[in-house]
């Protein structure tokens, strides 16, 4: 019998699948080690600077008396009040900053923490597929069982939810939703949330809504909050983030708001896990929420221009890109002649032969196979350059790519 190393016996590590982005990451690393400038449209890592007034508030606060000490796990009073004020201003939703708002170390960590707070071993959790990985893996690490439901907000989703409730043993306890969606960029209206809240109440489900892309939209229909639905506070908690709205991904500030029981449980778990973000970061984040919103409009317009350039230039290169209505991603089927390769092999070849990186769709769930996610995290000039590289790649075709000399060698 084969001896197992201690690492192989760690229960929670065994529950995590292999990291499917690793092959593409290796290709990127090899290219960069060779001095190649990869145009990276893979990770959703905003390249825009944080607003000047927010950075100045951080500088002003650092070094003040007591700011170097442990902070508050649930967030300082000022930032929780600022988030409550944002929700009232943006959505018309009133929140008690003491009982219905918790500051998290980003929305990703918030999801992982709430999974620990509400999940018992064996609990069934309904998660869209494809979806952002933490939506599933946070619950897997907490001992939950994932049942996949469609991501697209159509009648098929509600039919799948009904089947899941009828056929799951034990009965599901949590439903995760994310609109505008990562990676698919699907959007919903308030009527969708009304139906969802009614469904959750009928079946005793907690709804966890990821609204990280609330302010990244490209038409005149701002994405709604599930908490706008009357009675949603009875069943729902929503997660937002400073990362995309204010281009502050490395600052690690997010929020969970909504149902007092779940927020209380999350706050209690966090009190054992962290002391909150660095106080000056929280003060600066509060200044962002309370400050002018011209920086948000500028962010939105930047991503809109990049989206339009991506759709136009990639289309001329021979790859039709569905234009997303929101989020900072385009969810795109593989070019027809490359579909047999699968998303990981296609994304790897794109790095090696065209010096462009995208995220393989299967990394967001098995139903993401056949797609890639393209992030709007390079400027317009770089996106056009990616399209020029792509044209040569696509014209060659999958059967002859092994004969193609990498662009770096041509130069």
């Amino acid at each position: 019998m084969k001896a197992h190393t201690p690492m192989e016996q760690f229960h929670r590590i065994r529950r995590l699948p292999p990291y499917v982005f690793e092959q593409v990451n290796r290709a990127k690393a090899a290219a960069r080690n060779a001095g190649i400038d990869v145009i990276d449209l893979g990770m959703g890592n905003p390249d825009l600077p944080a607003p000047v007034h927010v950075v100045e508030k951080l500088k002003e606060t650092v070094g003040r008396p007591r700011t170097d000490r442990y902070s508050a796990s649930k967030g300082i009073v000022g930032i929780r009040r600022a988030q409550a004020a944002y929700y009232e201003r943006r959505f018309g939703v009133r929140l008690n900053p003491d009982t219905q708002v918790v500051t998290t170390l980003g929305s990703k960590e918030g999801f992982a923490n709430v999974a620990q707070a509400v999940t018992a071993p064996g609990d069934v959790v309904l998660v869209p597929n494809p979806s952002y990985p933490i939506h599933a893996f946070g619950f897997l690490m907490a001992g939950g069982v994932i049942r996949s439901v469609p991501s697209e907000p159509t009648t098929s989703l509600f039919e799948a939810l009904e089947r899941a409730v009828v056929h799951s043993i034990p009965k599901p306890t949590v439903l995760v939703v994310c609109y505008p969606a990562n990676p698919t960029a699907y959007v919903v209206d308030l009527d969708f949330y009304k139906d969802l809240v009614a469904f959750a109440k009928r079946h005793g489900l907690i709804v966890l809504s990821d609204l990280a892309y609330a302010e990244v939209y490209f038409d005149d229909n701002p994405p709604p909050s599930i908490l706008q639905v009357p009675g949603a506070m009875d069943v729902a908690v929503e997660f937002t983030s400073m990362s995309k709205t204010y281009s502050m991904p490395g600052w690690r500030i997010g929020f969970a708001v909504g149902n007092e029981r779940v927020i209380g449980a999350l706050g209690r778990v966090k009190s054992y896990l962290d002391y909150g973000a660095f106080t000056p970061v929280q003060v600066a984040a509060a200044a962002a929420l309370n400050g002018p919103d011209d920086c948000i409009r500028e962010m939105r317009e930047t991503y809109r221009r990049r989206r339009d350039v991506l759709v136009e230039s990639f289309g001329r290169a021979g790859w039709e890109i569905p234009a997303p209505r929101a989020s900072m991603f385009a969810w795109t089927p593989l070019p027809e002649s490359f579909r047999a390769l699968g998303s990981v092999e296609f994304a790897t070849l794109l790095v090696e032969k065209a010096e462009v990186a995208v995220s393989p769709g299967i990394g967001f769930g098995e139903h993401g196979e056949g797609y890639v996610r393209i992030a709007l995290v390079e400027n317009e000039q770089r996106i056009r350059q990616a399209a020029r590289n792509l044209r040569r790649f696509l014209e060659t075709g999958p059967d002859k790519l092994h004969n193609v000399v990498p662009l770096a060698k041509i130069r």
Side-chain angles (χ1 to χ4, degrees), residues 305-321:
R305 289 195 303 269
R306 292 179 180 183
R307 177 202 65 170
D308 293 346
V309 167
L310 177 78
V311 171
E312 182 267 333
S313 64
F314 276 44
R316 281 194 293 106
W319 191 6
E320 295 299 320
I321 307 293

Side-chain angles (χ1 to χ4, degrees), residues 27-323:
K28 283 197 291 187
R32 286 170 174 154
N33 288 340
I36 295 170
D37 179 21
V38 175
I39 301 171
D40 196 345
L41 306 174
M43 185 177 180
N45 193 3
D47 64 316
L48 304 178
V52 172
H53 69 281
V54 179
V55 176
E56 289 304 315
K57 177 59 73 171
L58 176 68
K59 293 177 182 177
E60 174 190 320
T61 311
V62 169
R64 283 187 175 181
R66 304 175 67 88
T67 59
D68 289 330
R69 304 180 74 175
Y70 291 129
S71 192
S73 177
K74 66 186 290 187
I76 62 175
V77 172
I79 196 171
R80 286 185 279 114
R81 288 177 178 170
Q83 175 69 348
Y86 163 76
Y87 256 77
E88 185 159 15
R89 208 167 53 239
R90 170 71 163 78
F91 302 112
V93 172
R94 302 195 69 177
L95 297 166
N96 183 328
D98 294 322
T99 61
Q100 293 178 311
V101 180
V102 164
T103 307
T104 65
L105 303 178
S107 59
K108 181 176 183 178
E109 292 83 346
F111 255 91
N113 291 162
V114 82
Q116 292 173 292
V118 304
T119 309
D123 278 356
V124 176
V125 179
L126 306 178
V127 178
N129 188 335
S131 192
Y132 187 51
I134 196 64
H135 294 156
F137 298 145
F139 290 96
L140 279 175
M141 287 187 282
V145 175
I146 303 303
R147 177 158 184 154
S148 294
V149 295
S151 299
E152 192 169 4
T154 63
T155 54
S156 296
L157 169 58
F158 285 96
E159 291 167 359
L161 291 174
E162 292 284 0
R163 288 194 300 273
V165 167
V166 170
H167 297 293
S168 296
I169 299 175
K171 183 181 174 183
T173 57
V174 172
L175 165 63
V176 176
V177 292
C178 175
Y179 301 105
N182 179 5
T184 58
Y186 294 137
V187 295
V188 297
D189 57 21
L190 202 54
D191 285 339
F192 172 86
Y193 283 137
K194 289 176 181 176
D195 292 341
L196 199 69
V197 168
F199 178 88
K201 288 192 169 189
R202 191 160 64 247
H203 296 292
L205 292 170
I206 296 168
V207 180
L208 301 179
S209 168
D210 186 344
L211 194 60
Y213 298 90
E215 302 299 344
V216 190
Y217 57 92
F218 308 126
D219 53 27
D220 296 324
N221 296 303
S225 161
I226 192 172
L227 298 179
Q228 290 175 251
V229 176
M233 211 72 74
D234 297 336
V235 296
V237 164
E238 194 156 67
F239 293 81
T240 56
S241 168
M242 305 294 288
S243 297
K244 310 308 187 297
T245 301
Y246 295 98
S247 303
M248 296 165 59
W251 299 50
R252 305 315 302 140
I253 291 287
F255 301 93
V257 305
N259 178 270
E260 289 190 10
R261 179 167 170 260
V262 177
I263 292 296
L266 172 58
R268 186 169 181 185
V269 165
K270 274 178 55 62
S271 71
Y272 285 92
L273 296 177
D274 68 69
Y275 288 107
F278 185 37
T279 295
V281 170
Q282 295 192 55
V283 172
L289 290 165
N290 291 328
D293 62 0
D294 55 326
C295 57
I296 301 176
R297 291 194 299 271
E298 290 169 8
M299 169 276 297
R300 190 180 299 133
E301 186 56 35
T302 297
Y303 286 131
R304 184 205 307 272
R305 289 195 303 269
R306 292 179 180 183
R307 177 202 65 170
D308 293 346
V309 167
L310 177 78
V311 171
E312 182 267 333
S313 64
F314 276 44
R316 281 194 293 106
W319 191 6
E320 295 299 320
I321 307 293

